[in-house]
Amino acid sequence: MGSRKREMAAKLKEQKSQIAIAKLNNCPTSPRKMRLVADIIRGKKVEDALNILKFSSKEAARRLDKLVLSAIANWQSKNEDSDVADAGLYIKEIRVDGGTMLKRLRPAPQGRAHRIRKRSNHVTVVLGQKNNEEVN
């Protein structure tokens, strides 16, 4: 391996240690309802986001709460020597994509049928670490 390639690989490894990713696939909530909650916590510090989710009355907030806690645990497994409170973690990216759709038929009057679409979604949370230079 050449020296430039080795330096680039070390740089990428350092960047990846600064972030943590958690995914939730096939969550049985419509993407629109999940995006309402996701938009509230996007860009917030992790402590603030957890407080917002804890006191939210929406069902999607409970699912996102567990997902953010999972992302924190993933960050801790990478950076065992660092403390979460001192790290300055924030929600760098949160993405809600549409998942699979269950299609059902509901009987309607006069021999007709209405289609029922039960939507699901995929949520991806990326936690970033604010460096001291970025905070100032």
Side-chain angles (χ1 to χ4, degrees):
M1 185 184 310
S3 63
R4 284 186 304 178
K5 196 171 186 180
R6 190 177 311 112
E7 290 170 4
M8 190 63 177
K11 187 177 176 183
L12 287 173
K13 187 175 181 182
E14 177 65 29
Q15 288 175 352
K16 285 186 178 182
S17 71
Q18 301 291 322
I19 65 169
I21 299 172
K23 284 182 156 186
L24 174 65
N25 287 331
N26 293 321
C27 178
T29 309
S30 73
R32 185 174 181 178
K33 291 177 183 177
M34 187 65 82
R35 280 189 197 107
L36 286 173
V37 180
D39 289 341
I40 296 171
I41 64 169
R42 184 175 284 122
K44 304 262 192 221
K45 286 192 268 185
V46 170
E47 297 85 14
D48 296 340
L50 288 174
N51 283 333
I52 290 168
L53 293 173
K54 182 179 178 185
F55 292 108
S56 177
S57 61
K58 296 192 175 286
E59 181 187 346
R62 287 192 293 275
R63 297 176 195 269
L64 278 180
D65 186 35
K66 288 178 72 173
L67 188 62
V68 170
L69 289 174
S70 174
I72 292 170
N74 291 343
W75 185 85
Q76 280 180 330
S77 68
K78 283 186 188 178
N79 305 315
E80 295 166 351
D81 55 341
S82 299
D83 187 20
V84 176
D86 300 333
L89 291 177
Y90 73 103
I91 297 182
K92 185 174 183 178
E93 181 182 344
I94 183 165
R95 190 171 52 245
V96 180
D97 301 319
T100 57
M101 202 180 312
L102 294 174
K103 295 176 181 171
R104 300 288 182 259
L105 292 176
R106 169 152 298 167
Q110 298 181 357
R112 296 190 188 102
H114 293 296
R115 182 173 285 168
I116 303 294
R117 293 186 305 251
K118 297 185 177 188
R119 300 175 189 271
S120 67
N121 62 55
H122 306 310
V123 185
T124 306
V125 173
V126 178
L127 296 183
Q129 185 177 1
K130 288 195 178 181
N131 297 333
N132 293 332
E133 305 90 44
E134 294 178 16
V135 173
N136 294 332

PDB file of all heavy atoms in Angstrom, residues 32-67:
ATOM      1  N   ARG A  32     -44.620   9.783   7.241  1.00  0.00           N
ATOM      2  CA  ARG A  32     -45.021  11.171   7.504  1.00  0.00           C
ATOM      3  C   ARG A  32     -45.100  11.449   9.004  1.00  0.00           C
ATOM      4  O   ARG A  32     -44.664  12.499   9.477  1.00  0.00           O
ATOM      5  CB  ARG A  32     -46.363  11.420   6.834  1.00  0.00           C
ATOM      6  CG  ARG A  32     -46.838  12.824   6.909  1.00  0.00           C
ATOM      7  CD  ARG A  32     -48.089  12.984   6.095  1.00  0.00           C
ATOM      8  NE  ARG A  32     -48.545  14.354   6.137  1.00  0.00           N
ATOM      9  CZ  ARG A  32     -49.601  14.793   5.484  1.00  0.00           C
ATOM     10  NH1 ARG A  32     -50.300  13.974   4.744  1.00  0.00           N
ATOM     11  NH2 ARG A  32     -49.965  16.042   5.562  1.00  0.00           N
ATOM     12  N   LYS A  33     -45.657  10.500   9.764  1.00  0.00           N
ATOM     13  CA  LYS A  33     -45.761  10.676  11.209  1.00  0.00           C
ATOM     14  C   LYS A  33     -44.380  10.642  11.865  1.00  0.00           C
ATOM     15  O   LYS A  33     -44.116  11.374  12.813  1.00  0.00           O
ATOM     16  CB  LYS A  33     -46.647   9.589  11.812  1.00  0.00           C
ATOM     17  CG  LYS A  33     -48.097   9.725  11.439  1.00  0.00           C
ATOM     18  CD  LYS A  33     -48.899   8.581  12.015  1.00  0.00           C
ATOM     19  CE  LYS A  33     -50.347   8.668  11.575  1.00  0.00           C
ATOM     20  NZ  LYS A  33     -51.127   7.536  12.069  1.00  0.00           N
ATOM     21  N   MET A  34     -43.502   9.772  11.342  1.00  0.00           N
ATOM     22  CA  MET A  34     -42.155   9.670  11.912  1.00  0.00           C
ATOM     23  C   MET A  34     -41.340  10.932  11.604  1.00  0.00           C
ATOM     24  O   MET A  34     -40.572  11.400  12.442  1.00  0.00           O
ATOM     25  CB  MET A  34     -41.452   8.445  11.361  1.00  0.00           C
ATOM     26  CG  MET A  34     -40.130   8.144  11.999  1.00  0.00           C
ATOM     27  SD  MET A  34     -40.231   7.695  13.728  1.00  0.00           S
ATOM     28  CE  MET A  34     -40.653   5.976  13.616  1.00  0.00           C
ATOM     29  N   ARG A  35     -41.524  11.507  10.415  1.00  0.00           N
ATOM     30  CA  ARG A  35     -40.771  12.712  10.044  1.00  0.00           C
ATOM     31  C   ARG A  35     -41.146  13.908  10.913  1.00  0.00           C
ATOM     32  O   ARG A  35     -40.309  14.785  11.151  1.00  0.00           O
ATOM     33  CB  ARG A  35     -41.015  13.059   8.578  1.00  0.00           C
ATOM     34  CG  ARG A  35     -40.196  12.245   7.638  1.00  0.00           C
ATOM     35  CD  ARG A  35     -40.278  12.730   6.203  1.00  0.00           C
ATOM     36  NE  ARG A  35     -39.809  11.680   5.331  1.00  0.00           N
ATOM     37  CZ  ARG A  35     -40.592  10.940   4.550  1.00  0.00           C
ATOM     38  NH1 ARG A  35     -41.887  11.183   4.510  1.00  0.00           N
ATOM     39  NH2 ARG A  35     -40.087   9.989   3.805  1.00  0.00           N
ATOM     40  N   LEU A  36     -42.388  13.961  11.384  1.00  0.00           N
ATOM     41  CA  LEU A  36     -42.802  15.051  12.269  1.00  0.00           C
ATOM     42  C   LEU A  36     -41.945  15.089  13.532  1.00  0.00           C
ATOM     43  O   LEU A  36     -41.525  16.155  13.992  1.00  0.00           O
ATOM     44  CB  LEU A  36     -44.276  14.902  12.659  1.00  0.00           C
ATOM     45  CG  LEU A  36     -45.302  15.237  11.592  1.00  0.00           C
ATOM     46  CD1 LEU A  36     -46.687  14.860  12.089  1.00  0.00           C
ATOM     47  CD2 LEU A  36     -45.242  16.700  11.246  1.00  0.00           C
ATOM     48  N   VAL A  37     -41.656  13.925  14.080  1.00  0.00           N
ATOM     49  CA  VAL A  37     -40.853  13.849  15.296  1.00  0.00           C
ATOM     50  C   VAL A  37     -39.370  14.004  14.958  1.00  0.00           C
ATOM     51  O   VAL A  37     -38.622  14.664  15.681  1.00  0.00           O
ATOM     52  CB  VAL A  37     -41.109  12.511  16.031  1.00  0.00           C
ATOM     53  CG1 VAL A  37     -40.294  12.415  17.294  1.00  0.00           C
ATOM     54  CG2 VAL A  37     -42.580  12.370  16.347  1.00  0.00           C
ATOM     55  N   ALA A  38     -38.942  13.428  13.837  1.00  0.00           N
ATOM     56  CA  ALA A  38     -37.530  13.489  13.457  1.00  0.00           C
ATOM     57  C   ALA A  38     -37.093  14.925  13.184  1.00  0.00           C
ATOM     58  O   ALA A  38     -35.966  15.309  13.509  1.00  0.00           O
ATOM     59  CB  ALA A  38     -37.275  12.616  12.244  1.00  0.00           C
ATOM     60  N   ASP A  39     -37.976  15.726  12.599  1.00  0.00           N
ATOM     61  CA  ASP A  39     -37.630  17.111  12.297  1.00  0.00           C
ATOM     62  C   ASP A  39     -37.407  17.933  13.570  1.00  0.00           C
ATOM     63  O   ASP A  39     -36.650  18.903  13.558  1.00  0.00           O
ATOM     64  CB  ASP A  39     -38.725  17.761  11.453  1.00  0.00           C
ATOM     65  CG  ASP A  39     -38.761  17.214  10.040  1.00  0.00           C
ATOM     66  OD1 ASP A  39     -37.754  16.626   9.600  1.00  0.00           O
ATOM     67  OD2 ASP A  39     -39.795  17.373   9.366  1.00  0.00           O
ATOM     68  N   ILE A  40     -38.053  17.558  14.655  1.00  0.00           N
ATOM     69  CA  ILE A  40     -37.919  18.295  15.905  1.00  0.00           C
ATOM     70  C   ILE A  40     -36.518  18.123  16.492  1.00  0.00           C
ATOM     71  O   ILE A  40     -35.947  19.081  17.027  1.00  0.00           O
ATOM     72  CB  ILE A  40     -38.986  17.836  16.925  1.00  0.00           C
ATOM     73  CG1 ILE A  40     -40.382  18.166  16.415  1.00  0.00           C
ATOM     74  CG2 ILE A  40     -38.765  18.476  18.284  1.00  0.00           C
ATOM     75  CD1 ILE A  40     -41.484  17.559  17.242  1.00  0.00           C
ATOM     76  N   ILE A  41     -35.943  16.925  16.388  1.00  0.00           N
ATOM     77  CA  ILE A  41     -34.670  16.658  17.062  1.00  0.00           C
ATOM     78  C   ILE A  41     -33.466  16.789  16.145  1.00  0.00           C
ATOM     79  O   ILE A  41     -32.333  16.674  16.604  1.00  0.00           O
ATOM     80  CB  ILE A  41     -34.681  15.257  17.716  1.00  0.00           C
ATOM     81  CG1 ILE A  41     -34.804  14.158  16.675  1.00  0.00           C
ATOM     82  CG2 ILE A  41     -35.756  15.162  18.765  1.00  0.00           C
ATOM     83  CD1 ILE A  41     -34.554  12.782  17.226  1.00  0.00           C
ATOM     84  N   ARG A  42     -33.659  17.041  14.873  1.00  0.00           N
ATOM     85  CA  ARG A  42     -32.532  17.146  13.937  1.00  0.00           C
ATOM     86  C   ARG A  42     -31.612  18.302  14.322  1.00  0.00           C
ATOM     87  O   ARG A  42     -32.055  19.422  14.537  1.00  0.00           O
ATOM     88  CB  ARG A  42     -33.046  17.346  12.522  1.00  0.00           C
ATOM     89  CG  ARG A  42     -31.967  17.363  11.477  1.00  0.00           C
ATOM     90  CD  ARG A  42     -32.526  17.451  10.082  1.00  0.00           C
ATOM     91  NE  ARG A  42     -33.070  16.155   9.684  1.00  0.00           N
ATOM     92  CZ  ARG A  42     -34.321  15.962   9.316  1.00  0.00           C
ATOM     93  NH1 ARG A  42     -35.174  16.962   9.286  1.00  0.00           N
ATOM     94  NH2 ARG A  42     -34.741  14.763   8.963  1.00  0.00           N
ATOM     95  N   GLY A  43     -30.310  18.012  14.469  1.00  0.00           N
ATOM     96  CA  GLY A  43     -29.317  19.033  14.783  1.00  0.00           C
ATOM     97  C   GLY A  43     -29.175  19.367  16.257  1.00  0.00           C
ATOM     98  O   GLY A  43     -28.313  20.156  16.630  1.00  0.00           O
ATOM     99  N   LYS A  44     -29.972  18.770  17.119  1.00  0.00           N
ATOM    100  CA  LYS A  44     -29.922  19.070  18.557  1.00  0.00           C
ATOM    101  C   LYS A  44     -28.829  18.249  19.235  1.00  0.00           C
ATOM    102  O   LYS A  44     -28.375  17.234  18.732  1.00  0.00           O
ATOM    103  CB  LYS A  44     -31.256  18.727  19.221  1.00  0.00           C
ATOM    104  CG  LYS A  44     -32.444  19.408  18.611  1.00  0.00           C
ATOM    105  CD  LYS A  44     -32.814  20.607  19.405  1.00  0.00           C
ATOM    106  CE  LYS A  44     -34.164  21.083  18.927  1.00  0.00           C
ATOM    107  NZ  LYS A  44     -34.260  22.489  18.832  1.00  0.00           N
ATOM    108  N   LYS A  45     -28.440  18.708  20.425  1.00  0.00           N
ATOM    109  CA  LYS A  45     -27.534  17.907  21.241  1.00  0.00           C
ATOM    110  C   LYS A  45     -28.290  16.659  21.711  1.00  0.00           C
ATOM    111  O   LYS A  45     -29.513  16.674  21.832  1.00  0.00           O
ATOM    112  CB  LYS A  45     -27.054  18.700  22.451  1.00  0.00           C
ATOM    113  CG  LYS A  45     -26.036  19.761  22.094  1.00  0.00           C
ATOM    114  CD  LYS A  45     -25.385  20.295  23.333  1.00  0.00           C
ATOM    115  CE  LYS A  45     -26.147  21.501  23.813  1.00  0.00           C
ATOM    116  NZ  LYS A  45     -25.529  22.158  24.958  1.00  0.00           N
ATOM    117  N   VAL A  46     -27.549  15.604  21.983  1.00  0.00           N
ATOM    118  CA  VAL A  46     -28.167  14.315  22.316  1.00  0.00           C
ATOM    119  C   VAL A  46     -29.001  14.420  23.592  1.00  0.00           C
ATOM    120  O   VAL A  46     -30.109  13.889  23.653  1.00  0.00           O
ATOM    121  CB  VAL A  46     -27.077  13.226  22.448  1.00  0.00           C
ATOM    122  CG1 VAL A  46     -27.638  11.954  23.025  1.00  0.00           C
ATOM    123  CG2 VAL A  46     -26.467  12.942  21.094  1.00  0.00           C
ATOM    124  N   GLU A  47     -28.498  15.137  24.591  1.00  0.00           N
ATOM    125  CA  GLU A  47     -29.239  15.268  25.850  1.00  0.00           C
ATOM    126  C   GLU A  47     -30.572  15.997  25.626  1.00  0.00           C
ATOM    127  O   GLU A  47     -31.606  15.595  26.158  1.00  0.00           O
ATOM    128  CB  GLU A  47     -28.415  16.026  26.900  1.00  0.00           C
ATOM    129  CG  GLU A  47     -27.142  15.332  27.316  1.00  0.00           C
ATOM    130  CD  GLU A  47     -25.967  15.633  26.385  1.00  0.00           C
ATOM    131  OE1 GLU A  47     -26.062  16.590  25.572  1.00  0.00           O
ATOM    132  OE2 GLU A  47     -24.978  14.907  26.452  1.00  0.00           O
ATOM    133  N   ASP A  48     -30.516  17.071  24.818  1.00  0.00           N
ATOM    134  CA  ASP A  48     -31.746  17.812  24.528  1.00  0.00           C
ATOM    135  C   ASP A  48     -32.736  16.958  23.740  1.00  0.00           C
ATOM    136  O   ASP A  48     -33.938  16.989  23.988  1.00  0.00           O
ATOM    137  CB  ASP A  48     -31.430  19.087  23.741  1.00  0.00           C
ATOM    138  CG  ASP A  48     -30.575  20.058  24.543  1.00  0.00           C
ATOM    139  OD1 ASP A  48     -30.559  19.936  25.782  1.00  0.00           O
ATOM    140  OD2 ASP A  48     -29.935  20.925  23.921  1.00  0.00           O
ATOM    141  N   ALA A  49     -32.214  16.202  22.771  1.00  0.00           N
ATOM    142  CA  ALA A  49     -33.077  15.356  21.942  1.00  0.00           C
ATOM    143  C   ALA A  49     -33.765  14.286  22.781  1.00  0.00           C
ATOM    144  O   ALA A  49     -34.960  14.029  22.603  1.00  0.00           O
ATOM    145  CB  ALA A  49     -32.266  14.715  20.823  1.00  0.00           C
ATOM    146  N   LEU A  50     -33.029  13.676  23.710  1.00  0.00           N
ATOM    147  CA  LEU A  50     -33.627  12.646  24.560  1.00  0.00           C
ATOM    148  C   LEU A  50     -34.712  13.235  25.459  1.00  0.00           C
ATOM    149  O   LEU A  50     -35.746  12.599  25.690  1.00  0.00           O
ATOM    150  CB  LEU A  50     -32.556  11.954  25.399  1.00  0.00           C
ATOM    151  CG  LEU A  50     -31.625  11.010  24.627  1.00  0.00           C
ATOM    152  CD1 LEU A  50     -30.525  10.507  25.527  1.00  0.00           C
ATOM    153  CD2 LEU A  50     -32.397   9.849  24.031  1.00  0.00           C
ATOM    154  N   ASN A  51     -34.502  14.456  25.954  1.00  0.00           N
ATOM    155  CA  ASN A  51     -35.533  15.102  26.776  1.00  0.00           C
ATOM    156  C   ASN A  51     -36.774  15.421  25.952  1.00  0.00           C
ATOM    157  O   ASN A  51     -37.902  15.233  26.414  1.00  0.00           O
ATOM    158  CB  ASN A  51     -34.982  16.380  27.409  1.00  0.00           C
ATOM    159  CG  ASN A  51     -34.083  16.088  28.581  1.00  0.00           C
ATOM    160  OD1 ASN A  51     -34.224  15.057  29.239  1.00  0.00           O
ATOM    161  ND2 ASN A  51     -33.143  16.972  28.839  1.00  0.00           N
ATOM    162  N   ILE A  52     -36.573  15.894  24.731  1.00  0.00           N
ATOM    163  CA  ILE A  52     -37.714  16.198  23.860  1.00  0.00           C
ATOM    164  C   ILE A  52     -38.522  14.936  23.577  1.00  0.00           C
ATOM    165  O   ILE A  52     -39.747  14.920  23.641  1.00  0.00           O
ATOM    166  CB  ILE A  52     -37.226  16.848  22.555  1.00  0.00           C
ATOM    167  CG1 ILE A  52     -36.710  18.266  22.817  1.00  0.00           C
ATOM    168  CG2 ILE A  52     -38.339  16.887  21.513  1.00  0.00           C
ATOM    169  CD1 ILE A  52     -35.957  18.867  21.664  1.00  0.00           C
ATOM    170  N   LEU A  53     -37.812  13.853  23.265  1.00  0.00           N
ATOM    171  CA  LEU A  53     -38.492  12.596  22.926  1.00  0.00           C
ATOM    172  C   LEU A  53     -39.186  11.997  24.141  1.00  0.00           C
ATOM    173  O   LEU A  53     -40.263  11.392  24.011  1.00  0.00           O
ATOM    174  CB  LEU A  53     -37.493  11.599  22.342  1.00  0.00           C
ATOM    175  CG  LEU A  53     -36.904  11.983  20.992  1.00  0.00           C
ATOM    176  CD1 LEU A  53     -35.795  11.007  20.607  1.00  0.00           C
ATOM    177  CD2 LEU A  53     -37.972  12.014  19.927  1.00  0.00           C
ATOM    178  N   LYS A  54     -38.588  12.166  25.317  1.00  0.00           N
ATOM    179  CA  LYS A  54     -39.160  11.580  26.525  1.00  0.00           C
ATOM    180  C   LYS A  54     -40.519  12.198  26.854  1.00  0.00           C
ATOM    181  O   LYS A  54     -41.439  11.509  27.281  1.00  0.00           O
ATOM    182  CB  LYS A  54     -38.198  11.784  27.690  1.00  0.00           C
ATOM    183  CG  LYS A  54     -38.651  11.174  28.987  1.00  0.00           C
ATOM    184  CD  LYS A  54     -37.618  11.397  30.067  1.00  0.00           C
ATOM    185  CE  LYS A  54     -38.091  10.829  31.380  1.00  0.00           C
ATOM    186  NZ  LYS A  54     -37.161  11.147  32.472  1.00  0.00           N
ATOM    187  N   PHE A  55     -40.652  13.513  26.619  1.00  0.00           N
ATOM    188  CA  PHE A  55     -41.878  14.196  26.997  1.00  0.00           C
ATOM    189  C   PHE A  55     -42.835  14.403  25.832  1.00  0.00           C
ATOM    190  O   PHE A  55     -43.847  15.078  25.980  1.00  0.00           O
ATOM    191  CB  PHE A  55     -41.545  15.531  27.659  1.00  0.00           C
ATOM    192  CG  PHE A  55     -40.874  15.348  28.984  1.00  0.00           C
ATOM    193  CD1 PHE A  55     -39.528  15.619  29.136  1.00  0.00           C
ATOM    194  CD2 PHE A  55     -41.581  14.875  30.075  1.00  0.00           C
ATOM    195  CE1 PHE A  55     -38.900  15.428  30.352  1.00  0.00           C
ATOM    196  CE2 PHE A  55     -40.964  14.685  31.292  1.00  0.00           C
ATOM    197  CZ  PHE A  55     -39.619  14.961  31.436  1.00  0.00           C
ATOM    198  N   SER A  56     -42.536  13.826  24.680  1.00  0.00           N
ATOM    199  CA  SER A  56     -43.441  13.922  23.543  1.00  0.00           C
ATOM    200  C   SER A  56     -44.538  12.871  23.684  1.00  0.00           C
ATOM    201  O   SER A  56     -44.304  11.765  24.170  1.00  0.00           O
ATOM    202  CB  SER A  56     -42.672  13.710  22.241  1.00  0.00           C
ATOM    203  OG  SER A  56     -43.554  13.743  21.153  1.00  0.00           O
ATOM    204  N   SER A  57     -45.740  13.211  23.249  1.00  0.00           N
ATOM    205  CA  SER A  57     -46.863  12.292  23.398  1.00  0.00           C
ATOM    206  C   SER A  57     -47.036  11.373  22.186  1.00  0.00           C
ATOM    207  O   SER A  57     -47.904  10.507  22.196  1.00  0.00           O
ATOM    208  CB  SER A  57     -48.153  13.087  23.620  1.00  0.00           C
ATOM    209  OG  SER A  57     -48.401  13.912  22.493  1.00  0.00           O
ATOM    210  N   LYS A  58     -46.239  11.542  21.160  1.00  0.00           N
ATOM    211  CA  LYS A  58     -46.393  10.746  19.941  1.00  0.00           C
ATOM    212  C   LYS A  58     -45.750   9.364  20.107  1.00  0.00           C
ATOM    213  O   LYS A  58     -44.744   9.205  20.800  1.00  0.00           O
ATOM    214  CB  LYS A  58     -45.763  11.472  18.760  1.00  0.00           C
ATOM    215  CG  LYS A  58     -46.457  12.782  18.452  1.00  0.00           C
ATOM    216  CD  LYS A  58     -45.993  13.311  17.131  1.00  0.00           C
ATOM    217  CE  LYS A  58     -46.750  14.542  16.757  1.00  0.00           C
ATOM    218  NZ  LYS A  58     -48.108  14.286  16.322  1.00  0.00           N
ATOM    219  N   GLU A  59     -46.336   8.383  19.438  1.00  0.00           N
ATOM    220  CA  GLU A  59     -45.799   7.020  19.508  1.00  0.00           C
ATOM    221  C   GLU A  59     -44.442   6.923  18.831  1.00  0.00           C
ATOM    222  O   GLU A  59     -43.562   6.180  19.264  1.00  0.00           O
ATOM    223  CB  GLU A  59     -46.781   6.051  18.851  1.00  0.00           C
ATOM    224  CG  GLU A  59     -46.321   4.613  18.887  1.00  0.00           C
ATOM    225  CD  GLU A  59     -47.215   3.688  18.092  1.00  0.00           C
ATOM    226  OE1 GLU A  59     -48.324   4.100  17.726  1.00  0.00           O
ATOM    227  OE2 GLU A  59     -46.778   2.565  17.835  1.00  0.00           O
ATOM    228  N   ALA A  60     -44.262   7.696  17.770  1.00  0.00           N
ATOM    229  CA  ALA A  60     -42.992   7.665  17.046  1.00  0.00           C
ATOM    230  C   ALA A  60     -41.839   8.150  17.925  1.00  0.00           C
ATOM    231  O   ALA A  60     -40.695   7.741  17.730  1.00  0.00           O
ATOM    232  CB  ALA A  60     -43.086   8.524  15.789  1.00  0.00           C
ATOM    233  N   ALA A  61     -42.123   8.985  18.913  1.00  0.00           N
ATOM    234  CA  ALA A  61     -41.080   9.504  19.798  1.00  0.00           C
ATOM    235  C   ALA A  61     -40.470   8.383  20.639  1.00  0.00           C
ATOM    236  O   ALA A  61     -39.257   8.385  20.882  1.00  0.00           O
ATOM    237  CB  ALA A  61     -41.645  10.591  20.699  1.00  0.00           C
ATOM    238  N   ARG A  62     -41.282   7.425  21.066  1.00  0.00           N
ATOM    239  CA  ARG A  62     -40.750   6.306  21.855  1.00  0.00           C
ATOM    240  C   ARG A  62     -39.804   5.459  21.022  1.00  0.00           C
ATOM    241  O   ARG A  62     -38.763   4.998  21.504  1.00  0.00           O
ATOM    242  CB  ARG A  62     -41.895   5.465  22.403  1.00  0.00           C
ATOM    243  CG  ARG A  62     -42.653   6.144  23.526  1.00  0.00           C
ATOM    244  CD  ARG A  62     -43.573   5.178  24.236  1.00  0.00           C
ATOM    245  NE  ARG A  62     -44.670   4.717  23.398  1.00  0.00           N
ATOM    246  CZ  ARG A  62     -45.817   5.363  23.235  1.00  0.00           C
ATOM    247  NH1 ARG A  62     -46.007   6.508  23.838  1.00  0.00           N
ATOM    248  NH2 ARG A  62     -46.765   4.875  22.479  1.00  0.00           N
ATOM    249  N   ARG A  63     -40.145   5.250  19.759  1.00  0.00           N
ATOM    250  CA  ARG A  63     -39.287   4.453  18.895  1.00  0.00           C
ATOM    251  C   ARG A  63     -37.970   5.178  18.606  1.00  0.00           C
ATOM    252  O   ARG A  63     -36.904   4.566  18.592  1.00  0.00           O
ATOM    253  CB  ARG A  63     -40.010   4.131  17.592  1.00  0.00           C
ATOM    254  CG  ARG A  63     -41.249   3.288  17.796  1.00  0.00           C
ATOM    255  CD  ARG A  63     -41.980   3.091  16.484  1.00  0.00           C
ATOM    256  NE  ARG A  63     -43.330   2.602  16.686  1.00  0.00           N
ATOM    257  CZ  ARG A  63     -43.660   1.324  16.718  1.00  0.00           C
ATOM    258  NH1 ARG A  63     -42.741   0.411  16.600  1.00  0.00           N
ATOM    259  NH2 ARG A  63     -44.921   0.978  16.876  1.00  0.00           N
ATOM    260  N   LEU A  64     -38.053   6.490  18.375  1.00  0.00           N
ATOM    261  CA  LEU A  64     -36.843   7.267  18.117  1.00  0.00           C
ATOM    262  C   LEU A  64     -35.973   7.377  19.366  1.00  0.00           C
ATOM    263  O   LEU A  64     -34.748   7.440  19.264  1.00  0.00           O
ATOM    264  CB  LEU A  64     -37.199   8.662  17.612  1.00  0.00           C
ATOM    265  CG  LEU A  64     -37.526   8.774  16.135  1.00  0.00           C
ATOM    266  CD1 LEU A  64     -37.854  10.209  15.773  1.00  0.00           C
ATOM    267  CD2 LEU A  64     -36.392   8.274  15.282  1.00  0.00           C
ATOM    268  N   ASP A  65     -36.603   7.395  20.535  1.00  0.00           N
ATOM    269  CA  ASP A  65     -35.853   7.443  21.786  1.00  0.00           C
ATOM    270  C   ASP A  65     -34.946   6.218  21.907  1.00  0.00           C
ATOM    271  O   ASP A  65     -33.752   6.339  22.211  1.00  0.00           O
ATOM    272  CB  ASP A  65     -36.832   7.524  22.958  1.00  0.00           C
ATOM    273  CG  ASP A  65     -36.143   7.721  24.292  1.00  0.00           C
ATOM    274  OD1 ASP A  65     -35.119   8.425  24.322  1.00  0.00           O
ATOM    275  OD2 ASP A  65     -36.643   7.172  25.303  1.00  0.00           O
ATOM    276  N   LYS A  66     -35.498   5.055  21.645  1.00  0.00           N
ATOM    277  CA  LYS A  66     -34.708   3.827  21.711  1.00  0.00           C
ATOM    278  C   LYS A  66     -33.607   3.820  20.650  1.00  0.00           C
ATOM    279  O   LYS A  66     -32.499   3.333  20.883  1.00  0.00           O
ATOM    280  CB  LYS A  66     -35.610   2.602  21.528  1.00  0.00           C
ATOM    281  CG  LYS A  66     -36.494   2.324  22.722  1.00  0.00           C
ATOM    282  CD  LYS A  66     -37.404   1.156  22.490  1.00  0.00           C
ATOM    283  CE  LYS A  66     -36.641  -0.140  22.505  1.00  0.00           C
ATOM    284  NZ  LYS A  66     -37.529  -1.325  22.445  1.00  0.00           N
ATOM    285  N   LEU A  67     -33.913   4.385  19.484  1.00  0.00           N
ATOM    286  CA  LEU A  67     -32.931   4.416  18.400  1.00  0.00           C
ATOM    287  C   LEU A  67     -31.760   5.338  18.736  1.00  0.00           C
ATOM    288  O   LEU A  67     -30.598   4.988  18.479  1.00  0.00           O
ATOM    289  CB  LEU A  67     -33.603   4.851  17.105  1.00  0.00           C
ATOM    290  CG  LEU A  67     -32.757   4.760  15.847  1.00  0.00           C
ATOM    291  CD1 LEU A  67     -32.359   3.324  15.575  1.00  0.00           C
ATOM    292  CD2 LEU A  67     -33.506   5.325  14.668  1.00  0.00           C
TER     293      LEU A  67
END
